[in-house]
Every structure is written in structure tokens, then in C-alpha cells.
């Protein structure tokens, strides 16, 4: 190959990963062995089940589509690499690659490239990341990236003890105590005939309820058992086990086949089974939260979480795991605040109530310090008491909102907080409010639904949350046209690239020429997931990641698309968080001029599923004629 052509290839490749990690001399050699291919529209590069080529490919100009069963699953354009995953797997191609338009691709000898980069850690990291986070073509194997820099022992699956000693509801407390003594165990499960857990008795129960004389030892175990049992799936990690125990104030977890109380018991995990790691462990932060005596102390504890988040990202810990850790810490802080505020009141709450987190905290996606969104539901009371009870809870909510602000989450500038009389109501008023939003949709009510539909109980009576969820389900089911309005809202922000594949940026204001990653990229995926899960007749789960996981199971025909959306959302959430940590802000507005070319490409790839899922919404809800 002429030096001029190889130099042009070199100049192109050096700006794109993984070639930007390759030594100058090696990249020159690779460029000189490259084969240039010109593709007509729809011309095949390789087909499904074809034997491996000697080459992998890089798009120079145009676009190449990757297809599974003739359905487009990824769109490769300038700088995108394809065909290398089959080579790394040493197996036939699982997809078809064909030109979407007239294109030029570079074919690079795979054996020469892999030999040259055999000891190149950066290239290996890139390839590992490609396997783990490729948006449309997802590796079925588990992510093999090594987690380092901090001790991540708690990420390992917890080891649960078997067999589990159980008894039935007809057994007496004395019989249960004898079983515990014989087997030298500190707890016993009460199960039904299918070995599904109904309750648990621990040594503490025997001390506090029997030794004190409150109950007779010949009564049945149902008199002193704790119920329901907290159950978890067998793949729960050691860290998640610790956090569940601390957050719920328990010392035993029950492991069942599917993680629910409606499946067979597999084992038990106790506090003694888990080794508390070091001070870098969030479980230690949760313990500190439990012991905190002031809001200022809670603020200091929450600040300690920031370097832990950074360490997790530096160690390539999956973003959904990081989000679950941060959510648990934030929820625990909120619970502690509510408990402390209640103790300052001369009167205890006059009736049952529930504190709801809304928006990103409700979806368990609040990794950074953002403003707070919350609401309060209280149980219905006699009409004569309504005003007084509401006044009590408004005063309580105001103090709670101020305390949360001290911890670091500013009060919402739009006043979407429980201290607002509009968002502090009885369960009947909340049901009526949601029913009005759903059955009489307007631009404002649709906006409210996108905020308030993503609620999560943080403190209080769980039955109030369940009643509200069921009421919403019934209202949506009885007024299906509401989903069309929600669908139109989900299409308000199209994929954030212009006709020339440039980022759509803010054209005025304080963030002029910056990219709004929240509004233009993250929220379209959030809105789509919410709409599509509501269409299934449920308002759970609330997490965007879990919603796409659920949708992939509910719609196998769209599994690839939903997995692409899930992976794109993870990429965008991680990117925003990393940017926020770097600049000590919310990470919402990205300064494009400070991004590397590889990061720009990573973002552009994450935008691809937005258009695809919005096309599904437009067709499914017949929105073309309404737009």
C-alpha cells in the first residue's frame, strides 16, 4: 500500500478508540496492512453464521447496519468498530452486517492487531467495556472487567447457610425453642406446607417475649413470630445483605428461589455471616446514620459517599449497583431525619402517614446532590379533623424539607415538596388528584404525572403507597387514551443530534452552547420506560433500569431494543455522574469542548436507542396523526 494511503488511514484511526491507545509505530504498521473496501448500499460484509473473516472492520464513511433476524439492532457510522466480537469469541458471526448507504470501511487483519496489543492494558479495557456495554449487540457472557482500586468483596454473592431449620404454625413456642437448641441456631423459620416462609423467631424473641412472661411457652409460634419475613434472591451480594439488615433493622435474611415470600426457602443469612469491611464500606455509613445525633452529622456522612461513588466508577463497578448503594444511603438519611423531626414535636403524628420520594430519588437514580422532590400521604380522618391533621403534617413536612436541605439536597425551586399543601394530602385526596390528571389530561397534568408517577415510599405506612398504586392502575386502565397523551409527551425530546450528527446544544442562557444530558438524552429514555410499563397495567417497578428489564421479559420480540435502551441509560447515567463529580455540580450540562473524541462517540452511540424506542411509541400509540 502506498505511503500516502496508509498515512491517511493512520490519520483517521488515531482519533478513535481503541486505536488511540496503540503505539505510534504499531498503528503505522496496522495502517499499512489495512484493506480499503467500497460498499454499495445493502452490500453484505458478512452474514449470520458465516465463518470468521481474517479481518475486523472500521467504518470510514457512510453507515453499516448490524441485523439480527433481519431486524436492525445497531447502526455503525464513522469510527465504529464491528466484527471483532466474533473474532474474540472465535466463533461464527451471530449477526449480519450490510451497508445502509454507500460506504467505505477499513478491513484490519485481526491477528496482527491482536498480537500487537497483547500487552496493551488500555486496549484490553476498551474491548472488555465493548463486550459489557455495547448498546445494541449485547454479549451473553458476564462482564469480565476486573474490579480493583478498592476492596469490592461485598460485591460477591453472599454465602447463605443450609439446611434451614423450620417449623409449622401449629407448633408451640416450646417445640421451636427445642429445635433451636438441638441444632444450635439463633433463629427458626415458620413455613407452610410448600416450605414458603410465613414468619421467623429469633433468640431475641425468646428473651423479650417469653423470658419476660408476656407469652406462654405453650402457645403457638404464631403468637411471637415476626412477619412478614424479609426475603431475597440467592444472587444477593454481601454488601446488599448488610445494607438490607441495617436499613430494615433486622439481623436475619431469608433466601428463597425467586426472592419472594411465595417461593421455597433455600437458606438463611445472619449478621454473623457477613464480615463488615472497612470504613470505605457503605454499610458503615448506614451504621453512622443510625447513630447520628444532628442534621449536620448526617450532612457529613452524606459527603463521605461522594468519594466512594468516585472510587466505584474508577473501579468499573456497574452503575446500577452504585445507584442502589446511593439510594439506600439517601433513603436511610431521610428516614433518620423524619424520626428526629418527629421527636421534636410535642404531639406524635395524629394518624398513619407515608413519605414519598419522587423523580430521580423515587427511581433510585439520584447519584449526585440535586434538589429534592417529595410528597406526603396521610390516612383519611373525620372531615371535622381534616384541617387540623393536614396542618400538623404540613408543619412536619416543612421541618423535614429544611433538614434534608441541611444534608445537601436543596429545596425544590418549583416547590415540588411535601411542605406544599398541594403535595401533602389524605389518601382520598391523592387518589382524586391522580384520577383528575389521568382522566382530564392537559399539558400541566401530563407534566405532573411524569414527576409523581415515579414515587417510592421512604418512610411510613406501606399500605398507603399500595392503595395509591392500585388507584392509579385502575384509573389508567379505565381511560386508555391517557397513554396517548403520555406518549406525545415522551416524544417531545427527539434524539439529540442534528441532521449533520452534531450535538443539539442550548442556544441561549447561562448554559449557552452546552449539552443538556438530562433533558435531551436521559429523560427520553426515562419517559419511554414509564409509558411502556404503564401500558402493561402496572406502576412498578419505578427504576428505569428495572423497567427495561421487565419490558424485555414481557415483550420478547423487542428484547434487543429494550436491552439497548437499558445499556444506553446506564451509559448516560454514569456519564452524567462522572461529569458531576468532576465539576462538583449536578452534571446536567456538559461542556462539549472539554470532551475527548472517544467520549463524544460514546455519547452518540448512547443516543441510538432513543430514536428506535420513540418509533415504537409512535407506532404503538398511533401518534403520527397527532403530532
Amino acid at each position: 500500500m502506498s505511503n500516502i494511503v496508509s498515512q491517511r488511514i493512520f490519520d483517521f484511526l488515531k482519533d478513535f478508540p481503541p486505536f488511540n491507545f496503540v503505539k505510534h509505530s504499531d498503528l503505522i504498521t496496522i495502517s499499512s496492512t489495512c484493506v480499503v473496501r467500497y460498499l454499495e448500499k445493502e452490500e453484505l460484509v458478512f452474514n449470520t453464521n458465516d465463518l470468521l473473516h481474517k479481518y475486523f472492520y472500521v467504518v470510514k464513511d457512510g453507515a453499516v447496519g448490524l441485523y439480527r433476524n433481519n431486524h436492525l439492532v445497531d447502526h455503525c457510522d464513522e469510527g465504529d468498530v464491528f466484527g471483532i466480537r466474533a473474532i474474540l469469541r472465535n466463533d461464527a458471526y451471530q449477526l449480519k452486517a450490510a451497508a445502509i448507504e454507500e460506504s467505505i470501511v477499513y478491513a484490519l487483519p485481526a491477528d496482527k492487531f491482536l498480537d500487537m496489543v497483547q500487552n496493551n492494558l488500555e486496549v484490553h479495557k476498551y474491548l472488555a467495556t465493548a463486550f459489557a456495554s455495547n448498546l445494541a449487540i449485547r454479549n451473553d457472557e458476564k462482564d469480565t472487567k476486573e474490579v480493583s482500586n478498592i476492596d469490592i468483596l461485598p460485591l460477591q454473592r453472599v454465602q447463605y447457610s443450609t439446611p434451614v431449620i423450620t417449623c409449622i404454625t401449629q407448633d408451640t413456642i416450646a417445640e421451636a425453642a427445642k429445635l433451636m437448641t438441638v441444632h444450635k441456631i439463633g433463629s427458626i423459620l415458620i413455613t407452610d406446607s410448600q416450605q414458603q416462609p410465613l414468619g421467623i423467631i429469633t433468640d431475641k424473641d425468646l428473651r423479650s417475649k417469653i423470658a419476660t412472661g408476656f407469652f406462654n411457652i405453650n402457645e403457638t409460634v404464631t403468637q411471637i413470630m415476626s412477619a412478614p419475613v424479609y426475603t431475597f434472591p440467592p444472587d444477593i451480594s454481601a454488601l446488599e445483605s448488610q445494607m438490607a439488615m441495617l436499613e430494615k433493622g433486622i439481623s436475619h435474611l431469608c433466601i428463597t428461589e425467586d426472592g419472594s415470600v411465595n417461593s421455597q426457602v433455600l437458606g438463611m443469612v445472619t449478621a454473623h455471616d457477613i464480615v463488615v469491611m472497612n470504613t470505605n464500606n457503605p454499610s458503615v455509613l448506614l451504621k453512622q446514620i443510625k447513630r447520628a445525633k444532628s442534621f449536620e452529622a448526617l450532612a457529613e456522612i452524606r459527603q463521605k459517599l461522594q468519594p466512594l461513588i468516585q472510587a466505584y466508577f474508577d473501579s468499573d463497578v456497574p452503575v446500577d449497583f452504585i445507584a442502589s448503594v446511593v439510594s439506600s444511603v439517601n433513603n436511610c438519611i431521610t428516614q433518620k431525619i423524619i424520626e428526629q423531626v418527629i421527636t421534636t414535636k410535642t404531639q406524635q403524628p395524629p394518624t398513619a402517614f407515608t413519605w414519598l420520594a419522587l423523580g430521580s430519588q423515587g427511581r433510585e437514580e439520584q447519584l449526585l446532590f440535586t434538589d429534592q422532590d417529595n410528597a406526603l400521604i396521610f390516612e383519611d380522618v373525620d372531615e371535622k379533623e381534616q384541617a387540623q391533621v393536614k396542618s400538623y403534617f404540613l408543619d412536619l413536612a416543612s421541618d423535614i424539607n429544611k433538614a434534608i436541605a441541611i444534608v445537601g439536597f436543596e429545596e425544590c425551586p418549583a416547590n415540588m415538596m411535601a411542605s406544599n399543601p398541594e403535595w401533602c394530602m389524605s389518601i382520598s385526596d391523592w387518589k382524586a388528584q391522580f384520577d383528575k390528571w389521568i382522566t382530564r389530561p392537559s399539558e400541566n397534568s401530563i407534566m405532573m404525572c411524569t414527576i409523581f408517577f415515579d414515587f417510592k415510599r421512604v418512610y411510613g405506612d406501606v399500605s398507603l403507597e399500595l392503595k395509591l398504586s392500585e388507584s392509579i392502575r385502575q384509573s389508567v386502565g379505565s381511560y386508555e387514551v391517557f397513554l396517548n397523551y403520555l406518549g406525545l409527551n415522551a416524544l417531545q425530546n427527539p434524539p439529540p443530534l442534528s441532521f449533520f450528527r452534531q450535538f443539539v446544544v442550548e442556544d441561549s442562557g447561562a448554559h449557552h452552547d452546552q449539552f443538556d444530558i438530562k433533558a435531551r438524552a436521559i429523560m427520553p429514555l426515562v419517559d419511554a420506560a414509564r409509558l411502556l410499563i404503564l401500558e402493561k397495567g402496572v406502576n412498578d417497578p419505578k427504576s428505569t433500569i428495572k423497567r427495561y428489564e421487565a419490558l424485555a421479559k414481557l415483550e420478547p420480540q423487542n428484547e434487543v431494543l429494550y436491552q439497548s435502551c437499558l445499556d444506553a441509560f446506564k451509559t448516560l447515567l454514569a456519564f452524567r455522574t462522572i461529569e458531576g463529580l468532576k465539576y462538583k455540580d449536578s452534571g446536567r450540562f456538559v461542556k462539549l469542548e472539554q470532551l475527548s473524541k472517544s467520549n463524544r462517540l460514546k455519547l452518540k452511540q448512547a443516543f441510538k436507542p432513543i430514536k428506535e424506542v420513540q418509533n415504537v411509541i409512535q407506532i404503538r400509540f398511533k401518534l403520527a396523526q397527532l403530532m
Side-chain angles (χ1 to χ4, degrees), residues 22-83:
V22 177
K23 286 195 304 184
H24 183 279
S25 58
D26 286 345
L27 190 55
I28 286 288
T29 302
I30 292 168
S31 301
S32 67
T33 60
C34 175
V35 175
V36 181
R37 285 193 56 181
Y38 298 88
L39 303 175
E40 298 289 340
K41 185 177 180 180
E42 299 183 358
E43 183 177 347
L44 275 179
V45 182
F46 51 77
N47 208 341
T48 306
N49 297 322
D50 277 359
L51 296 177
L52 287 178
H53 297 185
K54 296 178 182 179
Y55 304 96
F56 68 99
Y57 303 92
V58 183
V59 179
K60 167 63 171 67
D61 291 310
V64 173
L66 299 177
Y67 300 83
R68 178 179 283 116
N69 298 327
N70 291 321
H71 294 291
L72 181 68
V73 296
D74 202 3
H75 181 285
C76 302
D77 48 25
E78 181 185 9
D80 285 346
V81 176
F82 66 97

Side-chain angles (χ1 to χ4, degrees), residues 136-155:
I137 314 164
R138 181 172 174 262
N139 188 6
D140 292 329
E141 299 172 0
K142 291 184 178 178
D143 185 356
T144 57
K145 291 184 288 180
E146 180 181 358
V147 177
S148 58
N149 297 342
I150 57 174
D151 195 320
I152 310 295
L153 174 63
L155 297 181

Side-chain angles (χ1 to χ4, degrees), residues 150 152-156 235-241 243 281-282 308 312-313 316-328 364 367 545 570 573:
I150 57 174
I152 310 295
L153 174 63
L155 297 181
Q156 298 176 2
D235 61 353
I236 185 174
S237 70
L239 178 55
E240 288 169 317
S241 300
M243 296 177 71
N281 191 314
L308 178 61
Y312 276 161
F313 276 113
D316 291 331
V317 175
V319 69
D320 50 337
F321 181 86
I322 301 173
S324 70
V325 169
V326 176
S327 177
S328 289
E364 300 183 358
L367 276 73
I545 291 172
K570 288 181 181 179
L573 182 61

